[in-house]
Amino acid sequence: MTSATPKLEYRELGNTGLKLSCVGFGASPLGNVFGGVTGEEANAAVREAFRLGINFFDTSPYYGGTLSEKVLGNALKALGVPRNEYVVATKCGRYKEEGFNFSADRVTRSIDESLERLQLEYVDILYCHDIEFGSLDQIVKETIPALQKIKEAGKTRFIGITGLPLHIYTYVLDRVPPGSLDVILSYCHYCINDSTLEDIIPYLKSKGVGIVNASPLAMGLLTESGPPEWHPASSELKSACQAAATYCKEKGKSIAKLAMQYSLLNKEMTSVLVGMKSVKQVEENVAAATELAASGIDEATLAEVEAILKPVKNQSWPSGIQQS
Ligand code: NAD
């Protein structure tokens, strides 16, 4: 990076003391979740991320059936960056072959498996992955206490929960002792088409948890090439996002850049975690952040895109099981 290149902003994550780059590297694409990626492409994307100041990497055993963890681990090892210069988050309780298992026994084995695949001695954050698919009472009574033991054993520095419906956060945080959880990772709820995460920010801050905002591109909805085939949005939401992307393209603008900038504008969310699989995407997403810092967002295009998306604003999709 030359001295003229604007630096990425770093923001503090809740009470953890961690300072995360405002653009985080979502590594689910390294598990071929959004199309194939070679080891070389993955290594190059991770190398470029470091070069441009990204220090936060997020993966899970679920992504690509453990592939994402392995590919990220290899890329980090190949780079040889000192361990205290980056933050790695992984997850437990959701697996491609096994499905969901939030038992204390499974999550306790899970972290050892993840550390081996990542070739690390510890991760910085360990989340229970997509808890709405388990019993929330089990998460409160069994899984979080198991994660706390993993933390005490030094295998993770901090612990958290992830999932789609926002009520899971209040349900769990209302039932665990204060300070039990360090972080929450929410996805698809703070992007141009859905900003509902904003409503619970004061609550989350009152509980002292750090906030990671994943999927600023709504898992591909807010890109020119559109979402992957498995995307759970309704056809109405997909069509509206496609219309917004076409509008931007015709004006010579990038919907992905606008969407990144929209999410980055809210500084309550420490890091905007975007899924990346190429040097080009890393460069574009970092440029979105540095250009935002230098010259602000394109208000006129944002207003047009928001108008196109207004009929589907805050529309989500079902996720999880009926809680008893
Ligand atoms: P996203 O909104 O970040 O979109 C990713 C898609 O956008 C991919 O197809 C990627 O190739 C593409 N893309 C990235 N940069 C682009 C650019 N500049 N131009 C055009 N296309 C671009 O969705 P995501 O990857 O699902 O979310 C980000 C990360 O957050 C994930 O990789 C994962 O690490 C994490 N996440 C966690 C959970 C969870 O814990 N439940 C859920 C969703 C995401």
Side-chain angles (χ1 to χ4, degrees):
M1 186 162 47
T2 67
S3 55
T5 312
K7 272 192 64 84
L8 265 187
E9 181 189 342
Y10 295 82
R11 299 176 184 166
E12 287 203 12
L13 180 66
N15 297 328
T16 64
L18 294 175
K19 281 192 127 186
L20 306 184
S21 50
C22 62
V23 177
F25 191 114
S28 70
L30 303 190
N32 296 342
V33 172
F34 292 92
V37 189
T38 66
E40 259 168 43
E41 285 167 331
N43 285 357
V46 172
R47 189 183 318 118
E48 187 66 353
F50 270 111
R51 194 181 76 81
L52 295 177
I54 291 179
N55 71 348
F56 180 36
F57 298 84
D58 180 87
T59 183
S60 164
Y62 175 63
Y63 301 149
T66 71
L67 185 63
S68 167
E69 285 190 330
K70 287 181 197 144
V71 171
L72 179 63
N74 284 338
L76 292 171
K77 189 166 186 198
L79 277 172
V81 177
R83 179 65 186 88
N84 61 357
E85 288 181 16
Y86 58 89
V87 171
V88 174
T90 193
K91 312 191 182 83
C92 59
R94 181 170 199 179
Y95 309 95
K96 196 159 180 214
E97 305 298 332
E98 297 164 54
F100 294 90
N101 186 342
F102 293 105
S103 68
D105 174 59
R106 184 67 191 98
V107 300
T108 304
R109 282 188 288 117
S110 188
I111 182 63
D112 289 335
E113 295 162 2
S114 289
L115 291 177
E116 196 176 330
R117 286 189 288 263
L118 285 162
Q119 306 175 58
L120 296 176
E121 289 187 351
Y122 67 91
V123 291
D124 299 279
I125 306 171
L126 178 66
Y127 303 98
C128 306
H129 195 173
D130 291 341
I131 61 170
E132 69 270 26
F133 287 93
S135 150
L136 294 182
D137 290 325
Q138 182 190 27
I139 299 292
V140 169
K141 292 185 192 131
E142 181 177 340
T143 324
I144 291 174
L147 261 59
Q148 284 167 329
K149 287 199 183 123
I150 294 169
K151 184 176 168 179
E152 281 158 24
K155 295 177 183 179
T156 185
R157 295 174 68 199
F158 302 103
I159 62 173
I161 51 176
T162 84
L164 184 72
L166 293 171
H167 69 80
I168 60 173
Y169 300 111
T170 47
Y171 188 95
V172 169
L173 286 164
D174 278 346
R175 286 165 178 78
V176 293
S180 300
L181 286 177
D182 305 298
V183 195
I184 68 106
L185 181 158
S186 161
Y187 72 100
C188 288
H189 285 310
Y190 197 78
C191 38
I192 305 178
N193 56 297
D194 182 338
S195 57
T196 47
L197 176 59
E198 205 166 27
D199 300 342
I200 63 161
I201 297 289
Y203 170 86
L204 294 171
K205 284 181 79 175
S206 77
K207 294 288 181 183
V209 292
I211 304 163
V212 172
N213 173 34
S215 310
L217 310 182
M219 302 193 303
L221 285 177
L222 300 174
T223 63
E224 245 171 53
S225 49
E229 195 251 323
W230 51 259
H231 200 292
S234 69
S235 52
E236 186 196 14
L237 178 52
K238 286 180 181 163
S239 308
C241 291
Q242 194 177 20
T246 304
Y247 170 82
C248 288
K249 192 175 179 191
E250 284 172 3
K251 272 189 82 182
K253 311 275 181 177
S254 158
I255 184 129
K257 178 172 153 184
L258 191 74
M260 274 304 291
Q261 293 185 333
Y262 175 89
S263 295
L264 284 161
L265 270 178
N266 192 323
K267 298 196 179 193
E268 303 284 12
M269 298 157 202
T270 304
S271 191
V272 172
L273 204 47
V274 58
M276 298 189 272
K277 59 179 181 184
S278 66
V279 167
K280 182 169 177 273
Q281 288 182 346
V282 172
E283 288 175 348
E284 284 174 2
N285 294 329
V286 170
T290 51
E291 283 173 38
L292 179 70
S295 29
I297 198 162
D298 177 347
E299 298 281 0
T301 307
L302 177 61
E304 291 297 338
V305 165
E306 286 188 307
I308 295 168
L309 294 176
K310 200 170 174 207
V312 290
K313 179 79 182 187
N314 297 338
Q315 188 187 107
S316 191
W317 47 86
S319 180
I321 56 167
Q322 183 80 38
Q323 301 290 327
S324 54

